Amino acid sequence: GEEGCLIASGDIEERIPALAIENALDTTGAGDAFAAGMIAALLTGKDLREACRAAHKRGAAAAQHHGAVPIDP
């Protein structure tokens, strides 16, 4: 969402800012795309900060289309 992502693990607590979306059309599926981006990044060895940034990119991409549409990796 607009407030970004809060990561907290062990001694890490950090807010990763959301990406600005100039042409948000529909947020349907944006949360699902965010979650998928986070999981995919973590499964490929990214740390929490990198995974959160990747998740933001996926969510933002989904919000720039009408309805729930597949987004290429």
Side-chain angles (χ1 to χ4, degrees), residues 1-4 17-31 33-34 55-65:
E2 291 179 14
E3 295 180 19
L19 297 175
I21 302 174
E22 294 182 23
N23 57 343
L25 299 175
D26 186 353
T27 59
T28 302
F34 178 94
H56 280 306
K57 288 179 185 177
R58 303 294 282 172
Q64 295 179 53
H65 300 277

Side-chain angles (χ1 to χ4, degrees), residues 2-73:
E2 291 179 14
E3 295 180 19
C5 175
L6 176 66
I7 55 174
S9 177
D11 60 347
I12 297 172
E13 187 171 317
E14 181 179 346
R15 184 168 300 280
I16 305 297
L19 297 175
I21 302 174
E22 294 182 23
N23 57 343
L25 299 175
D26 186 353
T27 59
T28 302
D32 293 333
F34 178 94
M38 175 71 82
I39 292 166
L42 291 171
L43 288 174
T44 59
K46 305 293 186 206
D47 67 26
L48 282 173
R49 288 178 186 96
E50 294 173 311
C52 190
R53 289 184 187 103
H56 280 306
K57 288 179 185 177
R58 303 294 282 172
Q64 295 179 53
H65 300 277
H66 287 289
V69 296
I71 304 294
D72 291 333

